[in-house]
C-alpha cells in the first residue's frame, strides 16, 4: 500500500469495559465438512483461514488420522463447526455414522488437488456427494480445485473445465443431474481461498439478501462505490453490495484489516492481555494514491464494514457516518428478530419438555 496515508485507531482495552453484547454471535452455526483425498490440502485450508497459519508452515502439517471437529465460534461471527476428515473415509465402516454427520451439514467442501492426478478424487467426490445427497438433499456441494498456484492461467481454466465436465457427467450417468456442484479455483498462497470460503459461508446465511439490500441502500445514499461486510477474524466477507467483486479490491480490504489489527495489537493493547485489538472504537481511513479512500468501521464485535469511495464523496463524511449509524441499527434489528424467534422456539420446546416430565422430575413414559 505504498503512497498511502492513513489513520488507524482502536483501543483494545475498552472491550471488556463496554461488554458489547453481540446478537450476531449466536446466529449462524452451520456445519461445514472438509473432505477429499489424503494430502489434498484440507487441514492447510482450515489452518490458514481460521488460525492465521502462514501458508509455508502448512508444509509441516502432519496427516490427519481421525475426524477433527472444530468449533469456529468463539472469536468470529462466522461460527460453525468444521469437520476435517482424514483422507478417504470408508462409508462401509459400521463405526462411521455418516447419516448422522450429513444430516446436520450445511455445506460439504470437497478438496481436489489440482497438481495431482484427479481421477481417484473424482470417483471419491461422486461417491461422497451421492451418499450425502441421499441423506440430506439440502447440503450445498462445493468443490475446491485446490493448489492452483502451481498452474498457469490457461492451465487453471482447462483443469476447471475438465473437472466440471467429468464430475457432472458422472452425476448425469447416475441420473442425478439435479445435484448442483459449485466449483472454485483455490490456493492458500493467495486470497482465493478466503474468497471461496466467503462464498460458501454466504450461502449458509439466511439473511444474506437482506444484508445485500441494506448495503445497496447504504452505498447509494452515501456516494460509496463498493462496500463489504467482513468477519474480522477470518477475513471472510459475509455480504457485499450487488456490484461485482474484483479480486484486487477484496485483497486490499484484507490488507486493511490486517493493518488495523496488527497496529492495534502492537500499540493499542495494554500489557494485561485483557483487551481485544478490535472493538467499538475501531475505525480506519486510508487515502490511496489513486484518489480513492478506504473507510473501515466497526459494526459489531466481529464484523467490520469496509468501503471504497472517491475522495470527493468522502468530503461528506458526516452524511456517511449518519447513514452508517442507520445501517448498523438496521442490521441489528434484522438479527434481533431472528434471535427473538429462536428464543421463543427454545422457550416453547422447554415448556413441552417440562410437560413430558413428572412432578418429581423424572421423565414421563410415552404411552
Ligand atoms: N502448492 C500448494 N500446496 C498446498 C496448498 N494447500 C496445501 N498445500 C500442501 O499440501 C500438503 C498437504 O496438506 P494437508 O493440509 O496436510 O492435507 P490434508 O488434506 O489435510 O491431508 P490428510 O490430513 O492426510 O488428509 C502440505 O504440504 C501443504 O503445504 C496450496 O494451496 N498450494
Amino acid at each position: 500500500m505504498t503512497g498511502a496515508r492513513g489513520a488507524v485507531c482502536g483501543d483494545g482495552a475498552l472491550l471488556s469495559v463496554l461488554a458489547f453484547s453481540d446478537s450476531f454471535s449466536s446466529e449462524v452455526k452451520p456445519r461445514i465438512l472438509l473432505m477429499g483425498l489424503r494430502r489434498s490440502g484440507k487441514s492447510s485450508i482450515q489452518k490458514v483461514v481460521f488460525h492465521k497459519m502462514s501458508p509455508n508452515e502448512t508444509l509441516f502439517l502432519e496427516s490427519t488420522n481421525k475426524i477433527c471437529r472444530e468449533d469456529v465460534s468463539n472469536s468470529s461471527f462466522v461460527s460453525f463447526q468444521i469437520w476435517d476428515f482424514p483422507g478417504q473415509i470408508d462409508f462401509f465402516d459400521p463405526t462411521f455414522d455418516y447419516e448422522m454427520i450429513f444430516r446436520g451439514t450445511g455445506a460439504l467442501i470437497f478438496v481436489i488437488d489440482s497438481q495431482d492426478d484427479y481421477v481417484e478424487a473424482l470417483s471419491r467426490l461422486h461417491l461422497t456427494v451421492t451418499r450425502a445427497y441421499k441423506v440430506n438433499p439440502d447440503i450445498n456441494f462445493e468443490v475446491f480445485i485446490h493448489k492452483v498456484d502451481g498452474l498457469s492461467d490457461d492451465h487453471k481454466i482447462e483443469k476447471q473445465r475438465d473437472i466440471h465436465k467429468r464430475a457432472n457427467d458422472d452425476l448425469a450417468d447416475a441420473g442425478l443431474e439435479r445435484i448442483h456442484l459449485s466449483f472454485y479455483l483455490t490456493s492458500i498462497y493467495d486470497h482465493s481461498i478466503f474468497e471461496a470460503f466467503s462464498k460458501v459461508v454466504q450461502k449458509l446465511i439466511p439473511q444474506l439478501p437482506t444484508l445485500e439490500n441494506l448495503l445497496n441502500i447504504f452505498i447509494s445514499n452515501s456516494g460509496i462505490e463498493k462496500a463489504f461486510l467482513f468477519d474480522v477474524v477470518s477475513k471472510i466477507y459475509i455480504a457485499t453490495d450487488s456490484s461485482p467483486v474484483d479480486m484486487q479490491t477484496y485483497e486490499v480490504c484484507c490488507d486493511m484489516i490486517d493493518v488495523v489489527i496488527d497496529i492495534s495489537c502492537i500499540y493499542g493493547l495494554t500489557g494485561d492481555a485483557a483487551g481485544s485489538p478490535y472493538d467499538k472504537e475501531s475505525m480506519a481511513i486510508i487515502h490511496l494514491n489513486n484518489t480513492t479512500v478506504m473507510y473501515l468501521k466497526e459494526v459489531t464485535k466481529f464484523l467490520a464494514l469496509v468501503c471504497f469511495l472517491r475522495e470527493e464523496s468522502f468530503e461528506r463524511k458526516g452524511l456517511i457516518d449518519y447513514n452508517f449509524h442507520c445501517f448498523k441499527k438496521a442490521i441489528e434489528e434484522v438479527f434481533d428478530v431472528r434471535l427473538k424467534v429462536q428464543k421463543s422456539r427454545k422457550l416453547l420446546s422447554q415448556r413441552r419438555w417440562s410437560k413430558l416430565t413428572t412432578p418429581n422430575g423424572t421423565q414421563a413414559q410415552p404411552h
Side-chain angles (χ1 to χ4, degrees):
M1 225 179 290
T2 45
R5 77 195 132 84
V8 177
C9 64
D11 185 354
L14 269 177
L15 186 77
S16 51
V17 181
L18 293 168
F20 183 59
S21 89
D22 194 328
S23 56
F24 296 67
S25 55
S26 57
E27 192 52 35
V28 185
K29 284 195 198 297
R31 181 185 298 164
I32 298 180
L33 307 185
L34 269 172
M35 292 181 153
L37 296 190
R38 280 202 180 282
R39 314 302 291 158
S40 54
K42 303 176 291 296
S43 309
S44 309
I45 292 173
Q46 190 186 356
K47 297 281 180 210
V48 168
V49 176
F50 296 103
H51 296 267
K52 303 250 164 283
M53 184 180 268
S54 85
N56 289 330
E57 280 177 73
T58 63
L59 289 168
F60 310 107
L61 281 178
E62 287 190 6
S63 201
T64 317
N65 292 319
K66 52 183 183 350
I67 298 175
C68 293
R69 208 186 94 173
E70 194 198 354
D71 277 318
V72 182
S73 57
N74 303 334
S75 54
S76 159
F77 166 79
V78 191
S79 65
F80 46 70
Q81 293 177 339
I82 292 202
W83 294 41
D84 183 2
F85 283 80
Q88 289 84 305
I89 49 166
D90 182 1
F91 288 106
F92 301 104
D93 180 350
T95 58
F96 175 65
D97 187 357
Y98 68 87
E99 292 204 358
M100 180 276 288
I101 291 172
F102 290 143
R103 213 171 293 129
T105 295
L108 190 159
I109 300 176
F110 195 93
V111 185
I112 297 180
D113 181 347
S114 67
Q115 296 186 9
D116 201 8
D117 178 27
Y118 45 75
V119 175
E120 195 192 338
L122 280 171
S123 74
R124 228 31 238 187
L125 168 70
H126 181 76
L127 182 65
T128 311
V129 164
T130 47
R131 290 277 163 142
Y133 183 80
K134 263 190 206 148
V135 178
N136 178 1
D138 295 328
I139 297 181
N140 297 327
F141 295 107
E142 319 280 3
V143 183
F144 284 9
I145 302 169
H146 193 53
K147 306 192 190 177
V148 292
D149 45 275
L151 307 177
S152 69
D153 282 349
D154 286 349
H155 215 154
K156 276 184 207 171
I157 304 294
E158 201 183 299
K159 284 240 158 129
Q160 180 169 12
R161 199 175 299 141
D162 189 40
I163 291 177
H164 184 286
K165 186 173 176 325
R166 289 190 196 205
N168 282 317
D169 284 354
D170 287 349
L171 288 175
D173 290 346
L176 289 166
E177 339 23 24
R178 60 187 175 280
I179 300 184
H180 177 75
L181 306 175
S182 304
F183 294 86
Y184 308 81
L185 292 165
T186 57
S187 163
I188 51 169
Y189 287 95
D190 58 34
H191 288 80
S192 57
I193 192 63
F194 294 93
E195 224 212 337
F197 235 106
S198 300
K199 293 191 175 141
V200 169
V201 170
Q202 281 166 27
K203 287 190 199 168
L204 301 173
I205 299 176
Q207 299 88 349
L208 184 67
T210 316
L211 296 180
E212 283 176 354
N213 214 0
L214 287 172
L215 281 162
N216 283 337
I217 297 168
F218 170 65
I219 66 162
S220 62
N221 288 310
S222 313
I224 289 170
E225 292 185 354
K226 185 82 198 148
F228 293 92
L229 200 53
F230 266 94
D231 176 57
V232 176
V233 171
S234 61
K235 286 181 284 175
I236 281 173
Y237 68 94
I238 63 152
T240 182
D241 60 277
S242 49
S243 65
V245 176
D246 91 287
M247 190 73 166
Q248 268 184 331
T249 313
Y250 174 65
E251 283 178 15
V252 81
C253 289
C254 292
D255 289 346
M256 187 180 196
I257 292 172
D258 280 340
V259 168
V260 172
I261 302 298
D262 290 351
I263 299 275
S264 188
C265 278
I266 298 168
Y267 302 107
L269 295 179
T270 49
D272 59 9
S276 150
Y278 183 74
D279 62 31
K280 258 194 152 174
E281 304 291 309
S282 295
M283 62 85 88
I285 302 162
I286 297 181
H287 291 255
L288 303 180
N289 57 7
N290 61 358
T291 69
T292 307
V293 178
M294 293 177 72
Y295 190 25
L296 178 149
K297 260 177 104 63
E298 189 257 17
V299 180
T300 80
K301 196 165 143 189
F302 302 126
L303 296 178
L305 184 79
V306 185
C307 314
F308 278 81
L309 63 163
R310 308 224 63 81
E311 265 175 354
E312 312 81 88
S313 310
F314 198 61
E315 283 164 14
R316 287 169 300 171
K317 184 167 173 295
L319 172 76
I320 296 169
D321 285 343
Y322 177 75
N323 287 343
F324 173 78
H325 172 74
C326 300
F327 168 77
K328 184 172 164 161
K329 263 181 66 178
I331 296 191
E332 280 169 4
E333 277 170 27
V334 170
F335 285 89
D336 274 351
V337 169
R338 236 182 104 85
L339 214 68
K340 277 184 194 142
V341 173
Q342 276 177 348
K343 269 189 192 155
S344 60
R345 273 199 199 134
K346 209 171 152 193
L347 215 68
L348 206 71
S349 74
Q350 272 171 356
R351 277 200 201 130
R352 281 199 195 125
W353 180 247
S354 62
K355 273 188 193 159
L356 275 175
T357 52
T358 57
N360 64 6
T362 55
Q363 196 180 335
Q365 292 301 310
H367 300 290

